[in-house]
Amino acid sequence: MSLKIKNSIHIYFISFLTGIVTGCFIIVFSKILSLAENFFPFLNVSANSHFAREFNWQFLFLPVLGGLIVGFITHYYCPEAKGNGIDNVLDSFHNRDGEMRGRVSVYKSIVTILTLSLGGSAGKEGPAAQIGASIGSKINNLFGGGARARRTMLLAGVSASLGTIFQAPLGGALTAIEMVYKEDLESDALIPSIISSVSAYFLLSFFGVIHRDVFPLNELSVAYLPFYPVLGFICFVIGYILVNFIKSLRTFFSKWKIYPPLKPAIGGLVCGIIYLFFPVVSGTGENFIHKFLLESGLRSKFIKLDLIYFILFVIGFKVIATSFTIASGGSGGIFGPSLFLGGSIGMLTAEFVGVYYQLDPAHYQSFILVGMGAFYAGVASAPIAAMIMICEMIGSYVLLPPLMLCSILVVLLSKKFNLYQAQTHNRFHSPAHAWDIQTDVLKTMPVFRYKKFFLHSLVVSLDKPLSSIKKNLIKFDDKDFVVVDSQNKYVGMISSLQLARIENKKQFKSSIYLIHPIQLEQSIGDALNLLKEKHLDKAPIVNEENEFVGYLRYHEILELYFAKK
């Protein structure tokens, strides 16, 4: 194609185009999802029916059916379409130069609609972000952009999708550039993300589909401020439980040797059992948030103690249902469940505050809305985005002070865990920013001086039984493995994807690809260049006799760089 990205003006134009295309796609996606959810109205339970008064066996079987279909599609046609979607986007940004297959947007839409309309407990923003990222990546390739531009367009697509889903253009842009790192922002993508998100938002305006909830929020009372840190602490505790439960279940399902499409179906079965008793925790939970949490009329029908018990059960079952939906391989995001859980925690806190103060409905809403933002800020390590997103969604910044107080508190408490596994600490820990490192410093550092940093775990031997090699794959779940012979001589490398597909030793040997290793006399800079040029996640190191002595990953090279600098 004759068009080529050559300067920032071209980037801005492509960002605008990405926003328009992504906006159109997400509008259609949201409409189809809404129609699909309405097709199964018993899963979109009225908030009045806070628990099932009689068993509806459709609650049990439809999530299983949805999980089975989703598992079949993701296993045979598009593995990237399973899960929350954000991790795949972040992995693409950090490790694959922003490359995403174009068909991801189609398959992700299909499996998300199936998951959510058939009762899966998740949100639609993660899949929407993956759809937008795929569109941004492909539009960049269409205009001949390089890896750096592709990563920017990937985030621009994410910002457009989130800005469209939540009708919050600034919040969408900030979420896209903040979720990449745990303690940093991808500032290079800020302006393109804003352009893309705003252009998608204008598209919403053009089609007249913008709607915003109006909340009669009062000015904040100083008397309530001491209770907001309590709200933040409870958000941290529930967030910690949710994140670790998802991780534990993900490990369990990855090691479970059953027919892969059955895994989401089993997750659906667990959800279905819960829905027999508490159907309100199914799907995206938007109905529960709007009709129960934010409307005082339905809450007033409860006796206070019954309401507290009910909210506690709802929080517990939502954590379980969301964890099984996402970890088993269903398709759905975490922002929706975060709003559900954070709002429920806010409701719970408000009820306890109501013991000491006579709260009017507006103050109940304040605790609920602050809980929504604080909870997501903690699990996603995205405090700025969470604060702005909530303020834009309600059309007011009156809650910004308690949002800041709660969100920062939750993030500080949540430093040691995060939901998105592909999220890196900051830009300098990302292979995407290897070009930021001054390689001249690393050129002065010979490899043999840093043997204590060498790693040896991700190595497979040709003389080992195939079953033992496969166990290594399940145990470590890494991108590349180093291959050695019976004498510990370096042979080459093999990807985990190839390793998973081999059925005999002949296939194993033919799948090995030769990567020239790093000699002990070479520099750490040479090891970094090998990682960048060959798109590896580890650099094999050998001695003069070609004996394998270990490997270095980007993480170890980064540690050495900062220690030397």
Side-chain angles (χ1 to χ4, degrees):
M1 192 167 182
S2 59
L3 293 173
K4 192 84 172 177
I5 298 177
K6 297 179 180 179
N7 53 47
S8 58
I9 300 299
H10 293 166
I11 288 285
Y12 298 155
F13 171 74
I14 303 302
S15 300
F16 172 78
L17 183 60
T18 297
I20 295 297
V21 176
T22 302
C24 290
F25 206 102
I26 298 300
I27 290 172
V28 174
F29 164 74
S30 298
K31 185 63 176 177
I32 295 175
L33 176 59
S34 178
L35 292 172
E37 287 179 323
N38 290 332
F39 190 73
F40 300 104
F42 53 86
L43 288 176
N44 203 7
V45 180
S46 166
N48 265 321
S49 304
H50 48 275
F51 56 86
R53 291 178 171 79
E54 59 181 31
F55 285 166
N56 185 334
W57 294 107
Q58 294 178 91
F59 288 176
L60 180 63
F61 294 120
L62 279 177
V64 177
L65 175 63
L68 188 62
I69 299 173
V70 167
F72 183 84
I73 293 173
T74 56
H75 180 67
Y76 288 104
Y77 297 101
C78 190
E80 303 100 308
K82 63 183 176 181
N84 63 58
I86 298 295
D87 271 318
N88 188 268
V89 171
L90 297 184
D91 180 64
S92 176
F93 179 90
H94 293 303
N95 304 310
R96 303 200 302 268
D97 291 335
E99 282 284 6
M100 294 190 73
R101 293 195 294 174
R103 64 179 182 174
V104 169
S105 57
V106 176
Y107 280 109
K108 190 65 176 178
S109 301
I110 294 171
V111 296
T112 299
I113 290 168
L114 286 170
T115 298
L116 298 182
S117 64
L118 292 172
S121 176
K124 56 188 176 182
E125 80 299 324
Q130 192 172 1
I131 292 167
S134 174
I135 293 171
S137 176
K138 288 306 171 185
I139 287 180
N140 172 82
N141 292 347
L142 186 66
F143 285 87
R148 190 172 180 182
R150 187 183 304 111
R151 286 191 290 265
T152 297
M153 288 303 101
L154 178 134
L155 295 184
V158 171
S159 70
S161 62
L162 296 179
T164 304
I165 284 287
F166 296 110
Q167 300 181 17
L170 181 57
L174 291 177
T175 302
I177 67 171
E178 190 177 22
M179 71 181 185
V180 181
Y181 309 111
K182 194 168 176 64
E183 292 185 359
D184 206 344
L185 299 171
E186 182 58 27
S187 55
D188 292 355
L190 176 58
I191 295 178
S193 292
I194 291 175
I195 292 172
S196 180
S197 186
V198 168
S199 62
Y201 187 77
F202 281 153
L203 193 69
L204 286 178
S205 302
F206 178 78
F207 285 108
V209 294
I210 291 180
H211 59 85
R212 192 178 301 283
D213 295 313
V214 178
F215 301 101
L217 300 174
N218 294 339
E219 292 297 323
L220 292 172
S221 172
V222 177
Y224 303 141
L225 288 180
F227 294 99
Y228 283 104
V230 176
L231 169 59
F233 180 76
I234 300 174
C235 285
F236 156 70
V237 172
I238 303 300
Y240 178 85
I241 294 171
L242 175 67
V243 169
N244 284 280
F245 193 36
I246 289 177
K247 287 183 177 179
S248 299
L249 282 177
R250 188 180 283 130
T251 302
F252 169 76
F253 277 107
S254 68
K255 292 181 178 180
W256 196 4
K257 295 182 179 179
I258 62 169
Y259 182 50
L262 288 178
K263 294 179 181 180
I266 292 169
L269 177 62
V270 174
C271 292
I273 294 171
I274 292 173
Y275 301 158
L276 287 175
F277 304 94
F278 272 80
V280 294
V281 302
S282 66
T284 61
E286 291 180 1
N287 189 53
F288 179 78
I289 293 170
H290 289 279
K291 299 296 183 183
F292 189 87
L293 292 179
L294 295 173
E295 290 184 9
S296 59
L298 294 173
R299 296 197 308 269
S300 64
K301 297 179 180 180
F302 280 82
I303 300 171
K304 181 177 286 289
L305 192 59
D306 288 346
L307 178 58
I308 291 174
Y309 286 143
F310 171 63
I311 294 294
L312 286 172
F313 274 110
V314 164
I315 291 172
F317 284 132
K318 188 64 175 179
V319 167
I320 296 171
T322 299
S323 300
F324 270 94
T325 297
I326 295 174
S328 66
S331 179
I334 200 65
F335 191 86
S338 294
L339 297 184
F340 186 107
L341 289 168
S344 300
I345 294 168
M347 180 74 240
L348 191 66
T349 306
E351 283 299 320
F352 282 115
V353 175
V355 174
Y356 303 98
Y357 297 96
Q358 187 66 36
L359 291 180
D360 62 36
H363 288 302
Y364 272 95
Q365 289 179 347
S366 298
F367 278 94
I368 292 167
L369 293 166
V370 169
M372 291 179 183
F375 189 89
Y376 183 71
V379 297
S381 300
I384 299 174
M387 290 185 286
I388 299 301
M389 185 77 79
I390 293 296
C391 288
E392 280 194 291
M393 287 171 64
I394 64 178
S396 169
Y397 284 86
V398 69
L399 293 181
L400 189 56
L403 271 169
M404 294 170 65
L405 177 64
C406 276
S407 297
I408 298 302
L409 174 63
V410 178
V411 169
L412 289 175
L413 292 172
S414 307
K415 276 184 174 292
K416 292 187 177 180
F417 71 87
N418 62 309
L419 178 68
Y420 303 133
Q421 293 180 312
Q423 197 176 48
T424 64
H425 191 70
N426 56 43
R427 63 194 293 121
F428 296 108
H429 286 78
S430 169
H433 284 279
W435 47 269
D436 284 340
I437 293 178
Q438 300 172 12
T439 53
D440 289 344
V441 175
L442 297 177
K443 290 290 185 183
T444 65
M445 303 166 63
V447 171
F448 67 83
R449 289 186 182 175
Y450 303 96
K451 290 184 178 180
K452 66 179 182 179
F453 289 89
F454 292 0
L455 300 173
H456 308 84
S457 57
L458 296 169
V459 180
V460 294
S461 177
L462 285 172
D463 65 334
K464 295 286 185 182
L466 194 58
S467 59
S468 175
I469 294 172
K470 293 266 190 176
K471 283 182 182 178
N472 244 20
L473 173 65
I474 297 173
K475 182 178 179 182
F476 293 105
D477 189 26
D478 224 61
K479 180 183 174 184
D480 299 303
F481 286 78
V482 179
V483 183
V484 297
D485 62 16
S486 58
Q487 304 299 317
N488 198 43
K489 300 283 188 180
Y490 172 76
V491 177
M493 301 190 73
I494 186 170
S495 72
S496 58
L497 185 61
Q498 291 172 315
L499 201 53
R501 291 175 176 172
I502 60 174
E503 297 179 357
N504 53 58
K505 278 296 185 74
K506 184 177 180 181
Q507 284 184 347
F508 178 33
K509 292 179 181 179
S510 64
S511 299
I512 298 170
Y513 51 91
L514 179 61
I515 297 293
H516 292 292
I518 299 296
Q519 303 289 329
L520 286 171
E521 292 74 22
Q522 289 182 266
S523 70
I524 299 294
D526 294 326
L528 177 63
N529 288 334
L530 178 66
L531 295 179
K532 291 193 294 183
E533 291 172 5
K534 301 297 182 181
H535 301 286
L536 301 172
D537 62 355
K538 57 185 63 67
I541 303 167
V542 299
N543 60 19
E544 292 180 353
E545 287 76 35
N546 198 42
E547 291 177 338
F548 175 73
V549 294
Y551 62 81
L552 287 173
R553 301 174 304 174
Y554 184 82
H555 179 74
E556 285 73 41
I557 294 175
L558 191 68
E559 285 185 358
L560 292 172
Y561 172 76
F562 283 113
K564 179 72 174 179
K565 193 175 179 184

